[in-house]
Amino acid sequence: AMSSQEPAAGEDVVAGEEPEYEEKLDEQPRSILLGMMRQLKVGMDLSRITLPAFILEPRSFLEKCSDFMVHGQYLLRLSDTSDPLERMMAVLEWYMSSWHMKPPGVKKPYNPILGEVFHCKWEYGNPDLGTTYYVAEQVSHHPPISSFYFVNRKKNWYMTVSLRPKSKFLGNSAASIMEGEGYFHLLSHGEVYKITFPAYYVRGILIGVMRMEISGDVSISCERTGLSAELSFKNRKIISIISLCLSPQLLNRCAGVIFRGRITL
């Protein structure tokens, strides 16, 4: 399930909190962006809006999603791991590590065109670890749907993903909601892990400093083992007496729980 907890329009990004995720535009590009944003209404779909090149990442969304396997080494030991809980932990390690790859500042990848294909592979310098292959295709234009396939035949696993990103203008921010799910198949153990994805937010478009954040509730579950994990990506400052006493800033944190059935582990 996705969460779209959006701060009030007046909650602006504070410069310097997380500089690697921030971008301060010069006067001319900010003027162009502001002019475009003023023509939009809150809640408007941004998928058909042409964005200025200075906020675009020089690669397609299909290539960007290959970042999920940059730390694929966490998945290489799964076939040889006998404990189901250890396998779930390895899947969680891989999932969490896949979110740190991003360009500096605030950038959006280009929208793929219908029929566009991207493929690549990862080699690990050891034939016993096999090769991980990635193939992605844009299978629908309106609505935009991207499908991906990862596979490592030597280690007996593959993963399929279908994402339907929906972009919305929210006033001082914009959101890209990642509808869809992925299925990681571990053939040597007969397991299938169902995976959902958080949303991306860009804050401070009209006022303040722009910053990109990840937010939302996600889940990873395996029906065969009965194990599941519920994770929550949080990025809002929590202003309360308790938080001010403990930490004045609670930003970009992820908390979660692992269950076996209904039992919390």
Side-chain angles (χ1 to χ4, degrees), residues 208-235:
V209 177
M210 289 200 304
R211 181 172 67 215
M212 182 174 289
E213 301 173 331
I214 299 172
S215 178
D217 300 326
V218 302
S219 64
I220 300 177
S221 59
C222 177
E223 184 176 356
R224 184 179 180 90
T225 64
L227 292 170
S228 63
E230 301 290 337
L231 306 175
S232 181
F233 290 85
K234 300 181 182 297
N235 55 35

mmCIF file of all heavy atoms in Angstrom, residues 208-235:
data_model
loop_
_atom_site.group_PDB
_atom_site.id
_atom_site.type_symbol
_atom_site.label_atom_id
_atom_site.label_comp_id
_atom_site.label_asym_id
_atom_site.label_seq_id
_atom_site.Cartn_x
_atom_site.Cartn_y
_atom_site.Cartn_z
ATOM 1 N N GLY A 208 11.371 28.396 -1.294
ATOM 2 C CA GLY A 208 12.447 27.677 -0.614
ATOM 3 C C GLY A 208 13.392 26.999 -1.577
ATOM 4 O O GLY A 208 13.481 27.325 -2.757
ATOM 5 N N VAL A 209 14.094 25.990 -1.062
ATOM 6 C CA VAL A 209 15.091 25.233 -1.822
ATOM 7 C C VAL A 209 14.472 23.898 -2.227
ATOM 8 O O VAL A 209 13.846 23.227 -1.424
ATOM 9 C CB VAL A 209 16.357 24.991 -0.965
ATOM 10 C CG1 VAL A 209 17.367 24.137 -1.720
ATOM 11 C CG2 VAL A 209 16.989 26.326 -0.574
ATOM 12 N N MET A 210 14.662 23.523 -3.490
ATOM 13 C CA MET A 210 14.097 22.263 -3.949
ATOM 14 C C MET A 210 14.873 21.089 -3.359
ATOM 15 O O MET A 210 16.100 21.122 -3.250
ATOM 16 C CB MET A 210 14.129 22.178 -5.474
ATOM 17 C CG MET A 210 13.152 23.082 -6.165
ATOM 18 S SD MET A 210 12.816 22.543 -7.862
ATOM 19 C CE MET A 210 14.457 22.492 -8.551
ATOM 20 N N ARG A 211 14.135 20.050 -2.959
ATOM 21 C CA ARG A 211 14.768 18.832 -2.445
ATOM 22 C C ARG A 211 13.936 17.628 -2.855
ATOM 23 O O ARG A 211 12.716 17.656 -2.808
ATOM 24 C CB ARG A 211 14.893 18.864 -0.921
ATOM 25 C CG ARG A 211 15.578 17.605 -0.371
ATOM 26 C CD ARG A 211 15.880 17.700 1.110
ATOM 27 N NE ARG A 211 14.667 17.735 1.895
ATOM 28 C CZ ARG A 211 14.528 18.437 3.011
ATOM 29 N NH1 ARG A 211 15.519 19.198 3.436
ATOM 30 N NH2 ARG A 211 13.402 18.402 3.689
ATOM 31 N N MET A 212 14.607 16.560 -3.261
ATOM 32 C CA MET A 212 13.928 15.320 -3.606
ATOM 33 C C MET A 212 13.969 14.371 -2.418
ATOM 34 O O MET A 212 15.003 14.213 -1.766
ATOM 35 C CB MET A 212 14.586 14.656 -4.819
ATOM 36 C CG MET A 212 13.900 13.368 -5.263
ATOM 37 S SD MET A 212 14.588 12.697 -6.798
ATOM 38 C CE MET A 212 13.984 13.910 -7.973
ATOM 39 N N GLU A 213 12.815 13.742 -2.135
ATOM 40 C CA GLU A 213 12.695 12.835 -1.003
ATOM 41 C C GLU A 213 11.911 11.593 -1.402
ATOM 42 O O GLU A 213 11.155 11.611 -2.376
ATOM 43 C CB GLU A 213 11.990 13.520 0.172
ATOM 44 C CG GLU A 213 12.699 14.765 0.661
ATOM 45 C CD GLU A 213 11.905 15.517 1.719
ATOM 46 O OE1 GLU A 213 10.659 15.444 1.706
ATOM 47 O OE2 GLU A 213 12.531 16.175 2.550
ATOM 48 N N ILE A 214 12.097 10.535 -0.648
ATOM 49 C CA ILE A 214 11.334 9.299 -0.818
ATOM 50 C C ILE A 214 10.374 9.176 0.352
ATOM 51 O O ILE A 214 10.743 9.421 1.496
ATOM 52 C CB ILE A 214 12.277 8.080 -0.868
ATOM 53 C CG1 ILE A 214 13.229 8.195 -2.050
ATOM 54 C CG2 ILE A 214 11.484 6.782 -0.972
ATOM 55 C CD1 ILE A 214 14.304 7.128 -2.064
ATOM 56 N N SER A 215 9.125 8.805 0.071
ATOM 57 C CA SER A 215 8.133 8.740 1.136
ATOM 58 C C SER A 215 7.114 7.653 0.833
ATOM 59 O O SER A 215 6.831 7.350 -0.332
ATOM 60 C CB SER A 215 7.416 10.091 1.270
ATOM 61 O OG SER A 215 6.416 10.036 2.272
ATOM 62 N N GLY A 216 6.567 7.055 1.903
ATOM 63 C CA GLY A 216 5.479 6.110 1.723
ATOM 64 C C GLY A 216 5.685 4.800 2.458
ATOM 65 O O GLY A 216 6.762 4.524 3.000
ATOM 66 N N ASP A 217 4.645 4.001 2.496
ATOM 67 C CA ASP A 217 4.660 2.688 3.141
ATOM 68 C C ASP A 217 4.789 1.607 2.069
ATOM 69 O O ASP A 217 4.095 1.652 1.045
ATOM 70 C CB ASP A 217 3.377 2.462 3.937
ATOM 71 C CG ASP A 217 3.197 3.506 5.027
ATOM 72 O OD1 ASP A 217 4.218 3.950 5.584
ATOM 73 O OD2 ASP A 217 2.042 3.878 5.306
ATOM 74 N N VAL A 218 5.674 0.660 2.309
ATOM 75 C CA VAL A 218 5.904 -0.423 1.347
ATOM 76 C C VAL A 218 5.895 -1.753 2.085
ATOM 77 O O VAL A 218 5.989 -1.809 3.320
ATOM 78 C CB VAL A 218 7.242 -0.237 0.600
ATOM 79 C CG1 VAL A 218 7.267 1.091 -0.132
ATOM 80 C CG2 VAL A 218 8.423 -0.318 1.567
ATOM 81 N N SER A 219 5.802 -2.829 1.321
ATOM 82 C CA SER A 219 5.802 -4.155 1.923
ATOM 83 C C SER A 219 6.583 -5.127 1.060
ATOM 84 O O SER A 219 6.662 -4.977 -0.166
ATOM 85 C CB SER A 219 4.366 -4.665 2.114
ATOM 86 O OG SER A 219 3.741 -4.836 0.848
ATOM 87 N N ILE A 220 7.179 -6.116 1.737
ATOM 88 C CA ILE A 220 7.829 -7.250 1.075
ATOM 89 C C ILE A 220 7.300 -8.501 1.760
ATOM 90 O O ILE A 220 7.407 -8.633 2.982
ATOM 91 C CB ILE A 220 9.360 -7.171 1.187
ATOM 92 C CG1 ILE A 220 9.883 -5.894 0.527
ATOM 93 C CG2 ILE A 220 10.015 -8.401 0.544
ATOM 94 C CD1 ILE A 220 11.386 -5.695 0.666
ATOM 95 N N SER A 221 6.717 -9.408 1.005
ATOM 96 C CA SER A 221 6.094 -10.573 1.625
ATOM 97 C C SER A 221 6.385 -11.827 0.820
ATOM 98 O O SER A 221 6.527 -11.783 -0.406
ATOM 99 C CB SER A 221 4.574 -10.374 1.742
ATOM 100 O OG SER A 221 4.001 -10.173 0.468
ATOM 101 N N CYS A 222 6.469 -12.954 1.537
ATOM 102 C CA CYS A 222 6.683 -14.256 0.916
ATOM 103 C C CYS A 222 5.617 -15.213 1.450
ATOM 104 O O CYS A 222 5.619 -15.562 2.638
ATOM 105 C CB CYS A 222 8.087 -14.790 1.226
ATOM 106 S SG CYS A 222 8.406 -16.437 0.558
ATOM 107 N N GLU A 223 4.705 -15.620 0.596
ATOM 108 C CA GLU A 223 3.593 -16.461 1.025
ATOM 109 C C GLU A 223 4.081 -17.830 1.491
ATOM 110 O O GLU A 223 3.545 -18.391 2.456
ATOM 111 C CB GLU A 223 2.597 -16.626 -0.124
ATOM 112 C CG GLU A 223 1.350 -17.416 0.241
ATOM 113 C CD GLU A 223 0.356 -17.481 -0.889
ATOM 114 O OE1 GLU A 223 0.598 -16.844 -1.934
ATOM 115 O OE2 GLU A 223 -0.672 -18.178 -0.740
ATOM 116 N N ARG A 224 5.102 -18.394 0.860
ATOM 117 C CA ARG A 224 5.563 -19.739 1.187
ATOM 118 C C ARG A 224 6.109 -19.833 2.610
ATOM 119 O O ARG A 224 5.849 -20.795 3.335
ATOM 120 C CB ARG A 224 6.619 -20.202 0.187
ATOM 121 C CG ARG A 224 7.097 -21.636 0.395
ATOM 122 C CD ARG A 224 8.132 -22.031 -0.649
ATOM 123 N NE ARG A 224 8.591 -23.396 -0.442
ATOM 124 C CZ ARG A 224 8.030 -24.468 -0.986
ATOM 125 N NH1 ARG A 224 6.961 -24.325 -1.766
ATOM 126 N NH2 ARG A 224 8.502 -25.675 -0.760
ATOM 127 N N THR A 225 6.866 -18.828 3.044
ATOM 128 C CA THR A 225 7.468 -18.851 4.377
ATOM 129 C C THR A 225 6.587 -18.178 5.423
ATOM 130 O O THR A 225 6.826 -18.342 6.623
ATOM 131 C CB THR A 225 8.836 -18.154 4.369
ATOM 132 O OG1 THR A 225 8.654 -16.760 4.045
ATOM 133 C CG2 THR A 225 9.771 -18.791 3.357
ATOM 134 N N GLY A 226 5.605 -17.387 4.986
ATOM 135 C CA GLY A 226 4.777 -16.633 5.926
ATOM 136 C C GLY A 226 5.453 -15.403 6.478
ATOM 137 O O GLY A 226 4.909 -14.740 7.365
ATOM 138 N N LEU A 227 6.632 -15.068 5.942
ATOM 139 C CA LEU A 227 7.365 -13.892 6.412
ATOM 140 C C LEU A 227 6.985 -12.664 5.587
ATOM 141 O O LEU A 227 6.776 -12.756 4.373
ATOM 142 C CB LEU A 227 8.872 -14.128 6.316
ATOM 143 C CG LEU A 227 9.461 -15.178 7.254
ATOM 144 C CD1 LEU A 227 10.913 -15.483 6.882
ATOM 145 C CD2 LEU A 227 9.381 -14.715 8.704
ATOM 146 N N SER A 228 6.921 -11.536 6.261
ATOM 147 C CA SER A 228 6.641 -10.284 5.571
ATOM 148 C C SER A 228 7.312 -9.139 6.310
ATOM 149 O O SER A 228 7.640 -9.257 7.503
ATOM 150 C CB SER A 228 5.132 -10.032 5.469
ATOM 151 O OG SER A 228 4.562 -9.896 6.757
ATOM 152 N N ALA A 229 7.538 -8.057 5.620
ATOM 153 C CA ALA A 229 8.119 -6.854 6.214
ATOM 154 C C ALA A 229 7.290 -5.651 5.798
ATOM 155 O O ALA A 229 6.908 -5.531 4.625
ATOM 156 C CB ALA A 229 9.566 -6.682 5.775
ATOM 157 N N GLU A 230 6.993 -4.786 6.765
ATOM 158 C CA GLU A 230 6.288 -3.530 6.502
ATOM 159 C C GLU A 230 7.256 -2.388 6.804
ATOM 160 O O GLU A 230 7.738 -2.260 7.935
ATOM 161 C CB GLU A 230 5.041 -3.414 7.373
ATOM 162 C CG GLU A 230 4.024 -4.538 7.188
ATOM 163 C CD GLU A 230 3.317 -4.470 5.852
ATOM 164 O OE1 GLU A 230 3.282 -3.359 5.264
ATOM 165 O OE2 GLU A 230 2.795 -5.500 5.404
ATOM 166 N N LEU A 231 7.553 -1.584 5.794
ATOM 167 C CA LEU A 231 8.509 -0.489 5.931
ATOM 168 C C LEU A 231 7.813 0.839 5.682
ATOM 169 O O LEU A 231 6.872 0.921 4.882
ATOM 170 C CB LEU A 231 9.663 -0.645 4.935
ATOM 171 C CG LEU A 231 10.422 -1.971 4.940
ATOM 172 C CD1 LEU A 231 11.444 -1.994 3.817
ATOM 173 C CD2 LEU A 231 11.094 -2.202 6.283
ATOM 174 N N SER A 232 8.298 1.874 6.344
ATOM 175 C CA SER A 232 7.741 3.211 6.166
ATOM 176 C C SER A 232 8.881 4.204 5.965
ATOM 177 O O SER A 232 9.727 4.373 6.855
ATOM 178 C CB SER A 232 6.897 3.612 7.380
ATOM 179 O OG SER A 232 6.336 4.892 7.193
ATOM 180 N N PHE A 233 8.917 4.825 4.789
ATOM 181 C CA PHE A 233 9.889 5.885 4.509
ATOM 182 C C PHE A 233 9.289 7.201 4.999
ATOM 183 O O PHE A 233 8.215 7.602 4.551
ATOM 184 C CB PHE A 233 10.173 5.980 3.011
ATOM 185 C CG PHE A 233 10.953 4.821 2.457
ATOM 186 C CD1 PHE A 233 10.310 3.661 2.071
ATOM 187 C CD2 PHE A 233 12.327 4.901 2.331
ATOM 188 C CE1 PHE A 233 11.020 2.587 1.551
ATOM 189 C CE2 PHE A 233 13.054 3.845 1.812
ATOM 190 C CZ PHE A 233 12.402 2.679 1.425
ATOM 191 N N LYS A 234 9.991 7.862 5.908
ATOM 192 C CA LYS A 234 9.498 9.103 6.506
ATOM 193 C C LYS A 234 10.462 10.227 6.180
ATOM 194 O O LYS A 234 11.665 10.069 6.270
ATOM 195 C CB LYS A 234 9.351 8.950 8.025
ATOM 196 C CG LYS A 234 8.379 7.828 8.437
ATOM 197 C CD LYS A 234 8.260 7.740 9.939
ATOM 198 C CE LYS A 234 7.349 6.601 10.355
ATOM 199 N NZ LYS A 234 5.960 6.783 9.872
ATOM 200 N N ASN A 235 9.900 11.396 5.837
ATOM 201 C CA ASN A 235 10.771 12.520 5.508
ATOM 202 C C ASN A 235 10.315 13.846 6.090
ATOM 203 O O ASN A 235 10.931 14.857 5.866
ATOM 204 C CB ASN A 235 10.892 12.674 3.987
ATOM 205 C CG ASN A 235 9.537 12.812 3.328
ATOM 206 O OD1 ASN A 235 8.629 13.401 3.889
ATOM 207 N ND2 ASN A 235 9.389 12.250 2.140
#
